[in-house]
Amino acid sequence: MKTVELSIQGMTCAACSARIEKVLNKMDGVDATVNLPLETATIRVEDGITEEELIARIEKIGYGAERKVELTPKHDLRPLERKVLISALLSAPLLLVMITHIPGLMFHADWLMNPWWQFALATPVQFWIGAQFYQGAYKSLKSGAANMDVLVATGTSAAYFYSVFEMLIHPMNPSLYFETSAVLITLVLLGKWLEARAKEKTTDALKSLLSLQAKEAILLVDGEERSVAIDLVNVGDVIVVRPGEKVPVDGKIVEGETVIDESMLTGESIPSEKGIGFDVVGGTINRTHRFLMAAERVGSETMLAQIVRVVEQAQTDKAPIQRQADRISGVFVPIVVAISAVTFAVWLFGFNDLDMAIRSSIAVLVIACPCALGLATPTSIMVGTGRAAEQGVLFKGGGQLESLNGVDIVVFDKTGTLTNGTPEVVATFGDESFLQRAVMAERQSTHPLAEAIGRGVGVGHVEQVEELSGRGLKAVVDGKEHLIGSVRMMREAGFTLPDWDMQAMTPVYVASESKVVAAFGLQDRLKEGSRAVVQRLATTRQVYVLTGDRKEVALDVARELGIAEANVIAEVLPVEKADHIEALKQRGRVAMVGDGMNDAPALAVADVGIAFGSGTDVALEAADVTIMGRDIEGVDRAIEMSALTMRNIRQNDDRSYRRTRLRRQRITTESRL
């Protein structure tokens, strides 16, 4: 089996993608998935089937197809925006006609009642603005199916042509429905524009990920440094990485020591100290010193490339609600048309009333086209998303608003999500005077830990500072030599570490006069409100912590939040995060809350991904819901807004609401047992 990826042109709704899938999957040895937002088809085929055969089969049913060579390009939405605006301007006077029919209203506009004036306004909307619906309906019927374009074209055409018929046959007192056809086309077109805008943002997550990759690498060849494109790097090449540069590919350090910022990979705010034999990952940033590395994984085999594939696959897979829409779209239109035909026949042959037959059959089409299915629910969702935006919660679309209401499990990233994301000094140990001298020395360094310590109270005159790569500082303060740094530094110097309780802290020791005399304990503190939010969610849902940080640190955070130890998943890589989310999805619907690039695969794989507006761009694009700022209370607000909106859509269907509550309670009970 091999995988073929095609770009598809001409799809307008879920019925189109479902039709293409159905036609392709009828071929022997073909397993196809069509993604409507990405406008792509991912097809697994046996070796004997060619791309040309697949493209020909798609073109035969009225759609365009070509080999997918890059991410879906940006489309110019301005023509569609102009059509929406013009359609709205032409439909607005016709909408006033409906208002003048309200009993007791003093407003009257006799000029609007002129049938020829209404005809002049409605005609360009019907045949110029609405041309795309006729084209879509033709393609759909040509392929042997019926999509929503068929219903839009049929219903609005019935209302329009019946109005023309009335205008000509009963010029003095016609029954006109011009406003019905024009307003429906305007509203449906507005929905198409909103959908198109959402599609344009779909590939941004992948583009943000790809932008993290270095464009060039510096190879060391026969003692000379040579800059080459990243595509020309091969396994085994020796690469020079200077301070401030991105690590170009995955590999191992063969010379030198440095500090690597791996926050894009692990989410951990504290950079990692690296030396000979340590692994480094492409896309991470060299913070301090020059080093040499041997390339071990290049091109599509790098960790960054794997993350890109995970996000892309998650975006290609269909959500259950989309599959449900495909099934409904396949039968809804034919059923409505059939009911309309039966209605016409009953009035004509049963009651011998042609006028009533025409009116009633049109009423069926107009009422169903597509007010209840296509407009009522989106209107509720638009109101819900608008209200949520006022409260600092941005939903990517109505599907995400609906999905969040059905979540059974909420998974939180730790660093930057439950915590502030920056190290702080939370405890000090030993001689205060040495701590104050250490503060003065650390102010000479740009290391993140040094920056945190340097915010303290400092006393003393710094005479000399030497930064020891991957270990700490050697400084002369007030005439005395001080060593300030990690456990590794102290042990290499032969010092015995005091028995200070620094569990779940990152220690920075201070040594002078041949012994350790003081220490700083650094920690990433919990955000204000984290415990309250977790406790509220835990009453109806399972709550997990998923992090790339050390397990003892994650367990300490979980204890503060009241999360069970069994619900803590630590020391995992980004791709592994996605695997853990997939495993949890076997138990219920999962929401993932995160803010870093390392969270992007998990955000994309989860049923609902929630990111903070202050997080990395890739996290925001991969997420379904964005919380503006870093307020964790926004997670609570997002879930509450989803529940309120869906309750409104169901019109207080308590049975559905109770079923959801009972399912969550069952899952939570099983977790506690």
Side-chain angles (χ1 to χ4, degrees):
M1 298 288 284
K2 62 181 180 180
T3 300
V4 175
E5 292 192 351
L6 301 176
S7 295
I8 308 296
Q9 298 88 40
M11 294 189 295
T12 60
C13 72
C16 297
S17 58
R19 176 62 177 166
I20 296 172
E21 271 188 11
K22 184 177 180 180
V23 168
L24 290 175
N25 287 330
K26 282 184 177 179
M27 300 173 65
D28 293 334
V30 173
D31 180 16
T33 299
V34 179
N35 186 289
L36 177 61
L38 288 178
E39 298 179 335
T40 61
T42 302
I43 311 166
R44 297 188 70 236
V45 299
E46 294 181 353
D47 293 336
I49 301 175
T50 65
E51 287 184 4
E52 288 72 20
E53 290 179 81
L54 299 171
I55 292 173
R57 185 63 63 95
I58 295 171
E59 290 177 342
K60 186 176 180 181
I61 58 175
Y63 300 93
E66 60 184 9
R67 178 184 295 181
K68 180 174 176 272
V69 294
E70 58 182 15
L71 294 175
T72 304
K74 290 284 185 181
H75 299 293
D76 186 2
L77 298 183
R78 287 176 294 180
L80 182 56
E81 290 174 356
R82 286 194 293 269
K83 280 190 174 184
V84 171
L85 179 60
I86 294 170
S87 185
L89 292 174
L90 292 173
S91 300
L94 296 172
L95 189 60
L96 289 176
V97 174
M98 301 172 69
I99 296 175
T100 59
H101 291 169
I102 298 175
L105 189 69
M106 300 301 295
F107 172 76
H108 294 284
D110 294 336
W111 60 275
L112 288 175
M113 304 307 295
N114 186 313
W116 290 100
W117 176 244
Q118 292 188 34
F119 172 78
L121 291 172
T123 299
V125 175
Q126 186 70 36
F127 297 109
W128 175 52
I129 304 294
Q132 67 184 69
F133 299 114
Y134 285 106
Q135 293 168 356
Y138 170 74
K139 289 182 179 179
S140 178
L141 294 174
K142 182 182 177 182
S143 68
N147 62 7
M148 292 301 292
D149 285 340
V150 173
L151 207 52
V152 173
T154 304
T156 58
S157 296
Y160 175 84
F161 286 113
Y162 183 74
S163 299
V164 172
F165 172 79
E166 282 285 310
M167 183 179 69
L168 297 175
I169 302 301
H170 305 109
M172 301 305 297
N173 188 28
S175 296
L176 303 178
Y177 297 95
F178 285 123
E179 76 284 353
T180 301
S181 62
V183 171
L184 277 173
I185 287 175
T186 301
L187 291 176
V188 174
L189 197 66
L190 175 61
K192 294 280 187 182
W193 175 68
L194 294 173
E195 180 183 351
R197 286 186 61 192
K199 285 181 181 179
E200 289 305 295
K201 296 180 179 179
T202 306
T203 60
D204 286 350
L206 298 177
K207 290 177 181 177
S208 297
L209 282 167
L210 292 171
S211 70
L212 295 173
Q213 186 179 42
K215 306 301 180 188
E216 295 182 340
I218 301 174
L219 300 185
L220 188 65
V221 182
D222 297 329
E224 295 183 0
E225 297 182 4
R226 182 187 305 167
S227 181
V228 301
I230 194 69
D231 295 339
L232 299 179
V233 177
N234 298 310
V235 174
D237 286 345
V238 177
I239 302 171
V240 179
V241 185
R242 299 164 179 161
E245 293 181 344
K246 292 180 180 178
V247 177
V249 296
D250 297 358
K252 196 180 296 291
I253 294 178
V254 295
E255 181 181 312
E257 295 178 336
T258 190
V259 174
I260 301 289
D261 181 354
E262 295 183 320
S263 58
M264 56 77 71
L265 179 69
T266 65
E268 178 54 53
S269 57
I270 300 174
S272 300
E273 300 171 351
K274 302 281 187 178
I276 295 175
F278 280 73
D279 292 325
V280 289
V281 178
T284 57
I285 299 173
N286 180 19
R287 290 290 297 266
T288 56
H289 295 82
R290 176 183 182 273
F291 67 89
L292 303 182
M293 62 172 287
E296 294 185 340
R297 289 182 297 277
V298 300
S300 62
E301 299 303 315
T302 65
M303 179 69 71
L304 186 57
Q306 292 179 47
I307 294 173
V308 170
R309 284 199 296 272
V310 170
V311 175
E312 188 173 34
Q313 181 60 45
Q315 291 185 340
T316 302
D317 288 342
K318 287 191 176 183
I321 189 66
Q322 183 181 341
R323 298 187 184 279
Q324 183 179 354
D326 291 348
R327 292 194 295 270
I328 293 173
S329 298
V331 299
F332 180 76
V333 177
I335 288 175
V336 170
V337 173
I339 292 173
S340 178
V342 170
T343 302
F344 180 87
V346 168
W347 280 104
L348 179 62
F349 300 110
F351 298 92
N352 197 28
D353 191 336
L354 176 61
D355 185 63
M356 196 61 187
I358 294 174
R359 288 172 181 268
S360 300
S361 60
I362 289 175
V364 171
L365 290 173
V366 170
I367 289 171
C369 170
C371 295
L373 183 64
L375 294 176
T377 297
T379 299
S380 296
I381 289 175
M382 286 177 66
V383 173
T385 53
R387 181 68 180 132
E390 292 176 3
Q391 299 182 21
V393 178
L394 303 180
F395 288 89
K396 183 176 278 187
Q400 290 74 26
L401 181 69
E402 179 179 356
S403 296
L404 186 56
N405 184 53
V407 162
D408 306 299
I409 301 168
V410 181
V411 182
F412 286 94
D413 171 53
K414 181 187 74 69
T415 305
T417 302
L418 293 169
T419 67
N420 292 316
T422 55
E424 301 177 36
V425 176
V426 296
T428 57
F429 306 85
D431 193 310
E432 182 67 26
S433 63
F434 283 100
L435 290 170
Q436 292 174 344
R437 294 190 190 103
V439 168
M440 296 301 294
E442 292 283 23
R443 288 177 181 173
Q444 311 301 312
S445 173
T446 58
H447 192 286
L449 293 183
E451 292 174 4
I453 294 171
R455 289 192 289 266
V457 178
V459 175
H461 174 64
V462 180
E463 300 171 22
Q464 181 182 341
V465 173
E466 180 185 354
E467 194 159 352
L468 304 177
S469 175
R471 295 170 177 80
L473 298 176
K474 180 189 290 185
V476 177
V477 185
D478 291 341
K480 292 184 178 181
E481 185 174 274
H482 295 67
L483 289 178
I484 310 165
S486 64
V487 173
R488 176 184 174 189
M489 180 182 190
M490 297 299 134
R491 287 177 175 166
E492 287 181 353
F495 297 140
T496 301
L497 299 179
D499 188 19
W500 290 323
D501 185 11
M502 304 184 75
Q503 187 176 4
M505 298 181 194
T506 299
V508 175
Y509 292 96
V510 182
S512 184
E513 300 176 345
S514 302
K515 64 178 179 179
V516 175
V517 293
F520 298 90
L522 288 92
Q523 200 175 59
D524 189 4
R525 290 184 183 273
L526 286 175
K527 284 182 181 177
E528 184 178 352
S530 289
R531 180 176 175 80
V533 170
V534 168
Q535 291 299 306
R536 283 196 296 270
L537 290 174
T539 60
T540 55
R541 297 168 171 85
Q542 288 188 63
V543 179
Y544 280 76
V545 174
L546 179 62
T547 179
D549 208 348
R550 303 195 317 272
K551 187 157 189 175
E552 57 267 25
V553 175
L555 288 173
D556 186 68
V557 168
R559 281 191 290 270
E560 288 190 60
L561 295 170
I563 298 174
E565 182 176 335
N567 287 12
V568 176
I569 306 170
E571 300 177 0
V572 293
L573 294 173
V575 175
E576 294 172 339
K577 282 190 175 185
D579 292 338
H580 284 290
I581 293 296
E582 287 284 13
L584 288 173
K585 285 170 69 174
Q586 303 301 313
R587 304 194 56 184
R589 295 182 62 80
V590 178
M592 172 68 194
V593 186
D595 77 329
M597 193 285 284
N598 59 294
D599 301 319
L603 289 169
V605 167
D607 295 295
V608 182
I610 305 175
F612 290 94
S614 53
T616 60
D617 290 340
V618 65
L620 302 186
E621 296 302 339
D624 302 303
V625 184
T626 300
I627 309 299
M628 300 307 295
R630 303 189 68 86
D631 183 9
I632 197 169
E633 294 278 354
V635 178
D636 237 3
R637 291 196 296 272
I639 293 174
E640 180 184 15
M641 187 55 63
S642 173
L644 291 173
T645 303
M646 295 312 300
R647 185 184 300 182
N648 181 66
I649 290 174
R650 297 188 187 105
Q651 296 182 344
N652 298 316
D653 184 354
D654 290 335
R655 289 174 299 172
S656 177
Y657 182 72
R658 283 200 302 271
R659 283 196 298 269
T660 302
R661 295 274 297 189
L662 288 172
R663 186 175 72 253
R664 291 177 190 156
Q665 289 171 0
R666 174 181 56 77
I667 292 174
T668 303
T669 301
E670 289 175 354
S671 175
R672 289 171 179 169
L673 291 175

